[in-house]
Amino acid sequence: MNTYHNLTVDETIEKLGGDTKNGLTATEAKKRLSRDGKNKLAEKKKKGILRKFLEHFNDFMVIILLAAAAISFATSIMQGEADITEPIIILAIVILNALLGVIQENRAEKSLESLKKLSSPHAAVIRDGKETIINADEVVVGDLIKLTAGDLVPADCRLIKTNNLTVDESSLTGESMLTEKDADIVLDLLTPLGDRKNMVMSSTSVTSGKALAVAVKTGMDTEVGHIASMLIDNEPPQTPLQKKLSDTGKILGTAALVICGIIFIIGILQHLPPFDMFMTSVSLAVAAIPEGLPAIVTIMLALGVMRMSNHNAIVRNLPSVETLGSASVICSDKTGTLTENKMTVTSIYSKDKNLTVQLAALCCDSNGKNPTENAILNFAQSNGLNKTDIDKKYPRIAEIPFDSIRKRMTTLHRSPNGFQTIIKGAPEFVLPFATHINNGQKNIPLTQASRKKILIENSKMTEKGLRVIAVAYRNDNAKSGSPTERNMVFAGLIGLFDPPRKEAADSVTICKKAGIHPVMITGDHAGTAFSIAEQIGITNDRSTVITGQELDRITDTELKEQVKKYNVFARVSPEHKVRIVKAFQANGEITAMTGDGVNDAPALKIADIGCSMGISGTDVAKSASDMILTDDNFATIVYAVHEGRGIFANIKKAVQFLLSSNIGEILTVFSGLLLSGAPPLSAIQLLWVNLVTDSLPAIALGLDPCENDIMEKPPRSPKKSIFANGLWSSIIIEGMMIGALALLAYSIGINIFGTCEKGSTMAFAVLSISQLVHAFNMRSEKSVIRAGLFKNPYLVGSLIAGLLLEVSVIMLPQLSKIFNVAPLNFLEWIIVGAISILPLIIVELQKLFSQILKR
């Protein structure tokens, strides 16, 4: 077994054939990727097309139907007739249904696969001497990897250099304590996994500091890969809605089986051919049992999340789509989410502005990732201070990185006279370390009057909506040094402006109309936060602002009682975010929370909808979230809620349509048998109705555009069933309507046009076409004519396709003979058309009366 924790850095690099300066060449990396495979854990083998297809025949009732068709075929041969028409048609319809199911399943699967790729982590590697960002699954053994706070470690690595590096290894070792790492030590061969301080392991996360490391194991060879076999066979859990509909389907399926059994018994009692009655009963069971409801939900959720990904919202798991539509509170970061994240230095308070800017620039990293530091460096450049030049004069030799607890960054530089320590951060976290102030000529003691003046200037800047950075320093003449945060000299304040996003105010207005409470959560000063919140309409009342310091003084119980009155939480830490989310949830609110840093992960995890930032977010935050905003925009969260509501509404439409249609089919056969002594429809006709009317309109309803007023309604309670607010009543009444209309056509065919064959044909046509028309009723709870009858082109397409298929079956002699139907003349088609359009008229009148009663 290859081990590296017991080797020095040089021995490790030599063993791997790497380079600590330039990394691997692109050519060598390509060879290793080809040799070792992608850096990812093995997944459960996907089902092939054939297996998926055959699984559609695994349903008990379908097996019985096919067996009955085979018996029918065998019986006809024994009787010397060899009539294979009905068995072949039954088989063809079942195969068509299976093909449609496979196509839809594949489409949903591909949608979800593409989302996985969009949300996959990345890694910063050095190849050919240049830093480049690649997908984590492209990391190979020997790659040089740069790690910073918030990164997920992409492979098992031997550390080469470390700077205050701590790692959360709980996902691998189960230890909740953070582990400090040190590249310089060499360990004993038998050192346990949790004590290998010179190694970082795949799937663990960097919580603070920086490091340079070399990948020593990838994919299934990593430590986490050794336990991956326990994860491979896990099936993805059903969403709550899928579970509910699966249970509902089982209940309705049992009821349908009982009714089909009764139909069979009635037919036998009325001396109808037992085998024909058996085929009719089984076909009705196959057509009416809603076993595909959970699959319909999956397809609609998959289609919905693909639409959302095209609008910068990548949903990482399907259940969160259901939750989105119920969101009642959105807790959003300020910087970059409500604002543009385009910082500019607009104000400086200092007796020596040039010195203040130079110190701030030295205490900045030049990687371009931090908008605040970018603004400082751009301002320095415009004032003749080049970052590269001053770094050469004052080279950085140590640092204490910024984090959300310290709210400051400290660097140590070699200077011409010794060492210089610089602190840059929030004024209240820098000023306490200052004992002196630079007056433009020399350093003098920092008096209480001077402190007061600094705080007044800080308040002036924050009231204008500026982010304020304080800068302090100290010079040491010693021969060696380390960052020392005491007896600092205050240099000045830098004010940076980050304008609100243009669309933020509109999105806040939409939230309020939708019954959603928009909340700003920020690490910025209360004055800065309030100024921006006022500009975008979150609040105009200063009393609705609370700071982290004030939060610390109240208990969780008090916060629960008071939380809903606050619109802005300023100067908060990640720990405060967790308390805020829990307080809203304790009030029954469905809470969305944004976050980008490694310390935001706990809040993102416990929020009902955790939203991480795609641009500024760390891999740790992304992995903890339910949704990634690829544009870091508050408006995208609001759009996602809008879309979540629309997806749920469309699922509800499809469920209502499918169940009412199924009830209509059952009632048609059951009532027709009781009233006339014979079933109005044959086995083949029932299966055809199911094929034409169930699949295409249901999927088309899943693509229905959202109603214009969908964000003018209060959030849906997740505790409410999909069948709440009278949906079951509507389904049963609509099913009775469809059944009654089919029986009306059957009666007209028998009594006016004189034959059972005409009656059966007209009932067959009305049952199919009326359901296609009824699908349009599902589009809106209001008048569908006002909502736009032809606004959904997919639904119009399903109507046209269904009509063409139905007319072809009845009017083409070759098909009409197979389906045991009689061609209809012009008058009969007029009657069929008039009856089939009645569902639209009846439901429109019902909606009109409902609106009148509500007034």
Side-chain angles (χ1 to χ4, degrees), residues 319-366:
S320 59
V321 180
E322 296 174 29
T323 314
L324 271 170
S326 301
S328 56
V329 175
I330 299 178
C331 298
S332 173
D333 281 324
K334 178 184 73 67
T335 304
T337 310
L338 291 167
T339 63
E340 292 182 2
N341 209 14
K342 294 177 181 176
M343 298 270 189
T344 52
V345 175
T346 59
S347 179
I348 295 178
Y349 169 71
S350 174
K351 297 296 184 180
D352 189 339
K353 292 183 180 180
N354 201 58
L355 173 65
T356 300
V357 174
Q358 176 178 302
L359 292 168
L362 283 168
C363 196
C364 287
D365 291 323
S366 55

Side-chain angles (χ1 to χ4, degrees), residues 564-607:
K564 292 174 80 172
K565 75 179 184 183
Y566 295 114
N567 297 320
V568 176
F569 294 83
R571 276 291 189 251
V572 296
S573 67
E575 290 75 16
H576 291 135
K577 280 189 172 185
V578 173
R579 288 187 67 201
I580 293 163
V581 171
K582 286 182 176 179
F584 276 119
Q585 290 173 331
N587 281 281
E589 304 288 354
I590 302 302
T591 308
M593 168 68 77
T594 68
D596 54 8
V598 60
N599 291 325
D600 289 331
L604 291 172
K605 278 184 179 177
I606 68 160

Side-chain angles (χ1 to χ4, degrees), residues 5-6 186-197:
H5 59 274
N6 59 321
V186 178
L187 300 167
D188 183 76
L189 175 64
L190 299 178
T191 302
L193 179 64
D195 295 331
R196 295 176 189 174
K197 294 187 179 296

Side-chain angles (χ1 to χ4, degrees), residues 355 436-439 441-445 473 475 489-490:
L355 173 65
H436 291 72
I437 185 171
N438 184 285
N439 68 358
Q441 296 177 341
K442 61 180 181 178
N443 300 336
I444 60 173
Y473 69 102
N475 293 318
V489 179
F490 178 79

Side-chain angles (χ1 to χ4, degrees), residues 176-190:
S176 58
M177 296 294 290
L178 300 181
T179 308
E180 293 182 4
K181 298 293 182 175
D182 185 350
D184 297 330
I185 61 174
V186 178
L187 300 167
D188 183 76
L189 175 64
L190 299 178

Side-chain angles (χ1 to χ4, degrees), residues 652 656 721-734:
K652 191 175 176 181
Q656 183 176 354
S721 164
I722 190 172
F723 299 106
N725 300 325
L727 186 63
W728 263 127
S729 302
S730 297
I731 288 169
I732 293 167
I733 292 168
E734 289 162 9

